[in-house]
Amino acid sequence: MSQKELLTKADRFFVGGGNGEFRLPPEANFVASHGKGSKIFDVDGREYIDFLLGSGPMILGHCHPAVIEAVTRQIQKGTTFMALNEPSIQLGERIVEAAPCGEKIRLVITGSEAAMFAIRAARAFTGRSKYLRFEGGWHGVSDTTLHGARTLNPGEYPDTTADGGGIPESWSQDVLAVPFNDVERARQVIESRHNEIAAIVVEPLQRCILPQPGFFEALRSLADQHGIVLIFDEIVTGFRLAWGGAQERWGTIPDLATYGKTTSGGYPMAAICGRADVMDTMNGWRHADDPKRIIASGTFNAYPVGAVAGLATMDELAKPGIYDRLYEMGNRITREISAMGEELSIPLLVGGEGPVLQVLFTEDTEIVDYMSMFRADKEKAYRFGVELIKRGCFVTPYEKIYLSTVHSDEDIDRLLESAREALKSMAD
Ligand SMILES: Cc1ncc(COP(=O)(O)O)c(C=O)c1O
């Protein structure tokens, strides 16, 4: 079937023409057919260099031979059991050993579940109901995390509102938000309400915003002082910024960390990992009326196919030089796109680092929190992204650029050439 016909069908049957993917205008929209290495192809045969990577999981690129081999072997042995199985046990061991906070682990399927269960565990462990988050961080789509994630009127700290309909506004009272990197505001909120706060939840690289020196150390010390569970959402950063994720990169060890995307090689799977006493809230042997017992089960939780794909991915990521290469590419893109902005007199900043970057069109000199991202021109970022897609570089139109271990120098050359043309077209 042609792409045009498929797009018409997608419009006819899917609400809004899709399933929650990033929305693309008709001139850039396409239907993916297959992927190979750093490229994906649409059903009409057009090639794109993939800088979205399935929104992060495909860190080895598409159809990596080691992942295909592991998965092919596993699917012949069975795909799900709802019983202990060797691949999931080995994946659990591998993540616990790599995670600086790792003592115990629970495997789940989506990053949203991982964040939701981590917060639930902290609430049960401390007997407190609220958690403190950082405005604009993303922790998935559960009812508890969709407060203060996509704030339309930032600045009313620490109050939050529900991000979208269908989520009871009353739940917002249990979610407090302050700006990322704002130690003083976090301190004030924690010191005035510490008896009510179960967890501090932070995305260590918040979208593309880097932590300022001392930020995580301050959160760690406030959490210790007040018996609060510090949770790092490492679903993007885990095994991506470094083998030990953001914890290794910035040297602060949380009580719990959530993982996903890189940990299951392009198959659905995620995890909550951390301190044994907090994780023990998920212990199914606890008595049903124990208030410290939480329910964190799921049909596919120990999914062996995701586990073998994750193990194969980690074997590749453990090879020497992998992270140096990811940073080398990221640094080049940052340097060259920043220079293009100056040359073409287009105010922009490249946020993020290494394999996670984002181009922001802003007059600001640094991006420190959601407010500074909010001020950036999203329409321009969207146009820039669409221009890149039209030139065969698949990106999220107003979000991240992800890099994989299989992007070549030629791929990066093409991205940079396309970025120059896109910026020029926007300057005209
Ligand atoms: C930091 C972070 N946390 C949680 C999630 C939610 O993960 P999922 O989409 O697998 O539910 C995401 C997804 O993009 C994420 O980036």
Side-chain angles (χ1 to χ4, degrees), residues 178-192:
V178 293
F180 191 72
N181 277 323
D182 192 335
V183 172
E184 275 326 301
R185 272 214 179 88
R187 188 188 309 283
Q188 277 166 20
V189 173
I190 291 168
E191 286 179 351
S192 61

Side-chain angles (χ1 to χ4, degrees), residues 93-109:
E93 177 185 26
R94 186 76 69 87
I95 298 175
V96 167
E97 287 188 343
C101 70
E103 288 179 1
K104 290 275 189 184
I105 189 162
R106 167 64 49 96
L107 299 174
V108 295
I109 291 301

Side-chain angles (χ1 to χ4, degrees), residues 122 125-126 128 130-132 190-191 193-201 219-220 222-231 255 275:
F125 182 74
T126 58
R128 305 170 185 170
K130 297 190 193 317
Y131 77 93
L132 177 69
I190 291 168
E191 286 179 351
R193 308 191 190 200
H194 58 91
N195 287 333
E196 300 167 275
I197 300 177
I200 302 170
V201 181
L219 298 184
R220 180 65 278 174
L222 284 163
D224 287 342
Q225 255 172 284
H226 298 290
I228 296 170
V229 178
L230 179 61
I231 303 172
D255 299 303
R275 250 173 66 184

Side-chain angles (χ1 to χ4, degrees), residues 32 42 52 63 150 154 157 174 218 229 278 313-314:
D42 71 18
L52 174 53
C63 299
R150 295 221 171 128
Y157 315 116
D174 281 326
V229 178
V278 186
T313 299
M314 286 178 194

Side-chain angles (χ1 to χ4, degrees), residues 263-425:
T263 48
S264 49
Y267 290 78
M269 200 155 197
I272 311 108
C273 175
R275 250 173 66 184
D277 54 354
V278 186
M279 290 297 296
D280 200 57
T281 54
M282 299 178 203
N283 183 344
W285 292 102
R286 280 180 181 268
H287 200 272
D289 65 4
D290 179 347
K292 283 202 170 167
R293 176 181 191 252
I294 72 160
I295 296 174
S297 58
T299 302
F300 287 99
N301 271 7
Y303 185 45
V305 183
V308 294
L311 288 162
T313 299
M314 286 178 194
D315 287 344
E316 294 301 312
L317 293 176
K319 290 183 176 166
I322 289 288
Y323 292 99
D324 290 344
R325 168 69 186 155
L326 290 171
Y327 272 78
E328 181 200 322
M329 289 187 287
N331 291 343
R332 179 177 167 212
I333 294 168
T334 303
R335 206 172 46 241
E336 296 200 20
I337 294 188
S338 305
M340 286 173 204
E342 274 183 32
E343 196 187 307
L344 299 167
S345 302
I346 300 177
L348 62 81
L349 287 177
V350 183
E353 67 167 34
V356 189
L357 303 171
Q358 181 167 353
V359 180
L360 295 153
F361 292 85
T362 179
E363 306 267 350
D364 287 10
T365 51
E366 58 175 352
I367 298 289
V368 291
D369 55 18
Y370 177 72
M371 196 70 107
S372 36
M373 285 192 70
F374 197 78
R375 274 195 297 271
D377 189 331
K378 284 194 197 60
E379 239 169 72
K380 263 194 192 152
Y382 189 79
R383 266 173 59 208
F384 177 65
V386 168
E387 289 301 321
L388 288 181
I389 296 170
K390 281 164 47 184
R391 288 169 173 78
C393 295
F394 186 40
V395 294
T396 331
Y398 42 86
E399 282 206 21
K400 292 172 190 160
I401 293 173
Y402 277 113
L403 300 176
S404 76
T405 58
V406 292
H407 278 117
S408 64
D409 286 340
E410 292 69 40
D411 292 334
I412 307 300
D413 290 345
R414 243 178 84 188
L415 174 69
L416 291 169
E417 275 159 34
S418 305
R420 176 177 290 282
E421 285 174 20
L423 289 172
K424 273 192 171 157
S425 77

Side-chain angles (χ1 to χ4, degrees), residues 55 109-113 115 138-141 203 207 233 235-236 261 400 402:
S55 197
I109 291 301
T110 67
S112 297
E113 282 176 291
W138 184 251
H139 306 291
V141 295
E203 203 191 342
R207 309 289 76 201
D233 181 338
I235 284 162
V236 166
K261 301 200 192 257
K400 292 172 190 160
Y402 277 113

